[in-house]
Amino acid sequence: MAALSLQRHLRQWKIRLPRLQEAYSATILGSETQLWLRQRCNICKSVPSRNALVCFISKALQAHDLSLTELHDARNGKTGTLRYRDYGILDLFRRDIQYEDSLYLLVWGALPSSAQKAGLRAKLNAGLMETQETMLKVIGSFPREAPPMTIILAALNAYNSSQPQTIPAASQRNSYDPGSNPSYLNEIEAAIPRTLAALAVAVAQTHRHSSTLSTSAIRPQLDPQGPFLGNVTRLLDLQLPPRKEKALERTILLYADHGMSNATFVFLNAVSARGDPVTALVAALASGWGAVHGGATEMVWGMLEGVKARTEEIEIEKGIKRAGKPKIRDPGRWREAVQELIEKVKRGEDRLWGFGHRIYQGGDPRAHLMKEVLDEFDFSDNAMFEIATEVEKVASADAHFRAKGVAMNVDLWGGFVFVGLGLPPGMILPLASIARGQGKMARWREFMMRNPPIFRPQQLSTGLVPTVNHSTTKL
């Protein structure tokens, strides 16, 4: 199928890729289009069809989103690799990297000088210290037992309601559009620390509300010149020794960015319409809370709780009585329930949360580093950690998973860092979102510098939708 033929079919079926077609014509609609399609999709090895063009549209959109970025590089293989800009994740992990360093690296492409780091830190901390009375009122209106993410989403919208001048449609200023505002880049760079600070305040104040701590617009305990994450932990009412502060910084680094994830795509989809970053972040967080995305961190915890509950059932069935505090560091106690879980997963009746990754076929390079972070914590009396260790041991040795190349990912262990700091499982994703906000802001800046078109994927009709006879349908 030659490029000319493809263009003819596109015109015939009225599929339009206005700027995308023009910008990537050399790579997608050039002389090697036929080979390009056939190498990437089994469907396209057949004769030209609507299915082939559906695949073509998918690949074109993928190229539009993924192929041109300098921020991140993740690769498959027996040993996965991950890079932020020009630095491998292991290199950054071994350095004394703080939030300000990784944010500056992702956004501006280099590790900051002392002055650059201090300047960025001051802007982030200034955002933490802003009075957010509207946000606090909204947070306080929620039941304390409400899922934290529901409160955070509302809190960010409340923050935005008090900042209408930052919302293009509300202020009638297309602030972030390269074609309308010559100072768009200044607007974006000013919004980045403001948005990240608002997210951190929403997360911290939500935790305080859920933990029956007081929420206050006055925060005198924060250090204007101190590390950003140090101030965030103070807002969370955590008193961390230096080694745990470093463990938190390392964890945030591992979560800082991970390519064109579903939530990141949602974020860029929103800003392609020239929306503001806080609204786009709300959309991305809502998407990221999905069970097979960022919400997997909570699903892991639910899986471990299920193994614990099943173990207790097995012990009752067998008449096993445990006097006093159950013995921890006893892998045998959990093995039967873990093996039941593994067999259910192999039969397709359940899912093994914390294992497998669409990017890494040979193992998530962050997972082993996350386990190294956990060395700074004492989990000797934590049943969930013991169960997770047993799940990893049994699943990693199982031929079924080994044949499929399914290995543990960062979700299996990442949550234990936040729990080890004294936070409840419901706060795992919110804290991880503070980390991932760095990558979203960096991608926003990079994306808008290309003056992108609004995302508007087209659809192809595959035929009439079968009608339903509602008179015979039981409701």
PDB file of all heavy atoms in Angstrom, residues 72-85:
ATOM      1  N   HIS A  72      12.465  11.371  28.621  1.00  0.00           N
ATOM      2  CA  HIS A  72      12.385  10.054  29.242  1.00  0.00           C
ATOM      3  C   HIS A  72      12.679   8.984  28.209  1.00  0.00           C
ATOM      4  O   HIS A  72      12.345   9.113  27.041  1.00  0.00           O
ATOM      5  CB  HIS A  72      10.959   9.878  29.799  1.00  0.00           C
ATOM      6  CG  HIS A  72      10.608   8.485  30.211  1.00  0.00           C
ATOM      7  ND1 HIS A  72      10.208   7.530  29.314  1.00  0.00           N
ATOM      8  CD2 HIS A  72      10.581   7.901  31.428  1.00  0.00           C
ATOM      9  CE1 HIS A  72       9.949   6.409  29.968  1.00  0.00           C
ATOM     10  NE2 HIS A  72      10.159   6.612  31.235  1.00  0.00           N
ATOM     11  N   ASP A  73      13.316   7.914  28.660  1.00  0.00           N
ATOM     12  CA  ASP A  73      13.586   6.800  27.757  1.00  0.00           C
ATOM     13  C   ASP A  73      13.499   5.512  28.558  1.00  0.00           C
ATOM     14  O   ASP A  73      14.243   5.310  29.520  1.00  0.00           O
ATOM     15  CB  ASP A  73      14.979   6.934  27.138  1.00  0.00           C
ATOM     16  CG  ASP A  73      15.268   5.860  26.084  1.00  0.00           C
ATOM     17  OD1 ASP A  73      14.289   5.302  25.552  1.00  0.00           O
ATOM     18  OD2 ASP A  73      16.440   5.606  25.805  1.00  0.00           O
ATOM     19  N   ALA A  74      12.556   4.652  28.203  1.00  0.00           N
ATOM     20  CA  ALA A  74      12.418   3.351  28.846  1.00  0.00           C
ATOM     21  C   ALA A  74      12.456   2.280  27.765  1.00  0.00           C
ATOM     22  O   ALA A  74      11.856   2.436  26.717  1.00  0.00           O
ATOM     23  CB  ALA A  74      11.096   3.268  29.616  1.00  0.00           C
ATOM     24  N   ARG A  75      13.174   1.206  28.023  1.00  0.00           N
ATOM     25  CA  ARG A  75      13.340   0.180  26.992  1.00  0.00           C
ATOM     26  C   ARG A  75      13.041  -1.205  27.538  1.00  0.00           C
ATOM     27  O   ARG A  75      13.203  -1.480  28.728  1.00  0.00           O
ATOM     28  CB  ARG A  75      14.762   0.216  26.426  1.00  0.00           C
ATOM     29  CG  ARG A  75      15.107   1.566  25.817  1.00  0.00           C
ATOM     30  CD  ARG A  75      16.298   1.472  24.890  1.00  0.00           C
ATOM     31  NE  ARG A  75      16.615   2.794  24.354  1.00  0.00           N
ATOM     32  CZ  ARG A  75      16.070   3.318  23.289  1.00  0.00           C
ATOM     33  NH1 ARG A  75      15.153   2.648  22.639  1.00  0.00           N
ATOM     34  NH2 ARG A  75      16.419   4.520  22.865  1.00  0.00           N
ATOM     35  N   ASN A  76      12.618  -2.086  26.598  1.00  0.00           N
ATOM     36  CA  ASN A  76      12.367  -3.475  26.940  1.00  0.00           C
ATOM     37  C   ASN A  76      13.678  -4.235  27.007  1.00  0.00           C
ATOM     38  O   ASN A  76      14.747  -3.706  26.745  1.00  0.00           O
ATOM     39  CB  ASN A  76      11.457  -4.122  25.895  1.00  0.00           C
ATOM     40  CG  ASN A  76      10.079  -3.507  25.903  1.00  0.00           C
ATOM     41  OD1 ASN A  76       9.609  -3.046  26.925  1.00  0.00           O
ATOM     42  ND2 ASN A  76       9.430  -3.499  24.760  1.00  0.00           N
ATOM     43  N   GLY A  77      13.580  -5.523  27.261  1.00  0.00           N
ATOM     44  CA  GLY A  77      14.762  -6.358  27.274  1.00  0.00           C
ATOM     45  C   GLY A  77      14.802  -7.185  28.540  1.00  0.00           C
ATOM     46  O   GLY A  77      13.968  -7.056  29.426  1.00  0.00           O
ATOM     47  N   LYS A  78      15.775  -8.060  28.607  1.00  0.00           N
ATOM     48  CA  LYS A  78      15.908  -8.882  29.801  1.00  0.00           C
ATOM     49  C   LYS A  78      16.194  -8.043  31.032  1.00  0.00           C
ATOM     50  O   LYS A  78      15.831  -8.395  32.137  1.00  0.00           O
ATOM     51  CB  LYS A  78      17.016  -9.916  29.579  1.00  0.00           C
ATOM     52  CG  LYS A  78      16.665 -10.965  28.516  1.00  0.00           C
ATOM     53  CD  LYS A  78      17.749 -12.009  28.402  1.00  0.00           C
ATOM     54  CE  LYS A  78      17.366 -13.067  27.378  1.00  0.00           C
ATOM     55  NZ  LYS A  78      18.415 -14.102  27.233  1.00  0.00           N
ATOM     56  N   THR A  79      16.886  -6.921  30.827  1.00  0.00           N
ATOM     57  CA  THR A  79      17.100  -5.974  31.918  1.00  0.00           C
ATOM     58  C   THR A  79      16.601  -4.618  31.450  1.00  0.00           C
ATOM     59  O   THR A  79      17.179  -4.003  30.563  1.00  0.00           O
ATOM     60  CB  THR A  79      18.595  -5.886  32.286  1.00  0.00           C
ATOM     61  OG1 THR A  79      19.344  -5.537  31.120  1.00  0.00           O
ATOM     62  CG2 THR A  79      19.101  -7.212  32.821  1.00  0.00           C
ATOM     63  N   GLY A  80      15.497  -4.151  32.016  1.00  0.00           N
ATOM     64  CA  GLY A  80      14.921  -2.890  31.603  1.00  0.00           C
ATOM     65  C   GLY A  80      15.831  -1.724  31.962  1.00  0.00           C
ATOM     66  O   GLY A  80      16.608  -1.786  32.912  1.00  0.00           O
ATOM     67  N   THR A  81      15.742  -0.672  31.193  1.00  0.00           N
ATOM     68  CA  THR A  81      16.515   0.536  31.475  1.00  0.00           C
ATOM     69  C   THR A  81      15.567   1.727  31.519  1.00  0.00           C
ATOM     70  O   THR A  81      14.526   1.736  30.864  1.00  0.00           O
ATOM     71  CB  THR A  81      17.591   0.800  30.400  1.00  0.00           C
ATOM     72  OG1 THR A  81      16.945   0.951  29.118  1.00  0.00           O
ATOM     73  CG2 THR A  81      18.580  -0.361  30.332  1.00  0.00           C
ATOM     74  N   LEU A  82      15.949   2.727  32.281  1.00  0.00           N
ATOM     75  CA  LEU A  82      15.150   3.935  32.426  1.00  0.00           C
ATOM     76  C   LEU A  82      16.085   5.123  32.533  1.00  0.00           C
ATOM     77  O   LEU A  82      17.055   5.088  33.291  1.00  0.00           O
ATOM     78  CB  LEU A  82      14.273   3.842  33.684  1.00  0.00           C
ATOM     79  CG  LEU A  82      13.493   5.100  34.093  1.00  0.00           C
ATOM     80  CD1 LEU A  82      12.487   5.484  33.020  1.00  0.00           C
ATOM     81  CD2 LEU A  82      12.795   4.875  35.429  1.00  0.00           C
ATOM     82  N   ARG A  83      15.797   6.171  31.760  1.00  0.00           N
ATOM     83  CA  ARG A  83      16.614   7.374  31.780  1.00  0.00           C
ATOM     84  C   ARG A  83      15.726   8.604  31.927  1.00  0.00           C
ATOM     85  O   ARG A  83      14.630   8.656  31.360  1.00  0.00           O
ATOM     86  CB  ARG A  83      17.435   7.514  30.490  1.00  0.00           C
ATOM     87  CG  ARG A  83      18.398   6.381  30.212  1.00  0.00           C
ATOM     88  CD  ARG A  83      19.224   6.650  28.961  1.00  0.00           C
ATOM     89  NE  ARG A  83      20.138   7.776  29.154  1.00  0.00           N
ATOM     90  CZ  ARG A  83      21.338   7.662  29.713  1.00  0.00           C
ATOM     91  NH1 ARG A  83      21.771   6.494  30.140  1.00  0.00           N
ATOM     92  NH2 ARG A  83      22.111   8.726  29.846  1.00  0.00           N
ATOM     93  N   TYR A  84      16.207   9.581  32.692  1.00  0.00           N
ATOM     94  CA  TYR A  84      15.618  10.917  32.710  1.00  0.00           C
ATOM     95  C   TYR A  84      16.616  11.834  32.009  1.00  0.00           C
ATOM     96  O   TYR A  84      17.749  11.993  32.480  1.00  0.00           O
ATOM     97  CB  TYR A  84      15.401  11.423  34.130  1.00  0.00           C
ATOM     98  CG  TYR A  84      14.403  10.667  34.966  1.00  0.00           C
ATOM     99  CD1 TYR A  84      14.387  10.808  36.346  1.00  0.00           C
ATOM    100  CD2 TYR A  84      13.468   9.806  34.395  1.00  0.00           C
ATOM    101  CE1 TYR A  84      13.479  10.138  37.139  1.00  0.00           C
ATOM    102  CE2 TYR A  84      12.560   9.131  35.174  1.00  0.00           C
ATOM    103  CZ  TYR A  84      12.562   9.294  36.546  1.00  0.00           C
ATOM    104  OH  TYR A  84      11.651   8.622  37.325  1.00  0.00           O
ATOM    105  N   ARG A  85      16.195  12.363  30.873  1.00  0.00           N
ATOM    106  CA  ARG A  85      17.109  13.175  30.068  1.00  0.00           C
ATOM    107  C   ARG A  85      18.372  12.370  29.774  1.00  0.00           C
ATOM    108  O   ARG A  85      18.281  11.277  29.250  1.00  0.00           O
ATOM    109  CB  ARG A  85      17.425  14.502  30.782  1.00  0.00           C
ATOM    110  CG  ARG A  85      16.220  15.422  30.981  1.00  0.00           C
ATOM    111  CD  ARG A  85      15.813  16.107  29.689  1.00  0.00           C
ATOM    112  NE  ARG A  85      14.797  17.137  29.928  1.00  0.00           N
ATOM    113  CZ  ARG A  85      14.343  17.959  28.995  1.00  0.00           C
ATOM    114  NH1 ARG A  85      14.816  17.915  27.776  1.00  0.00           N
ATOM    115  NH2 ARG A  85      13.417  18.849  29.286  1.00  0.00           N
TER     116      ARG A  85
END
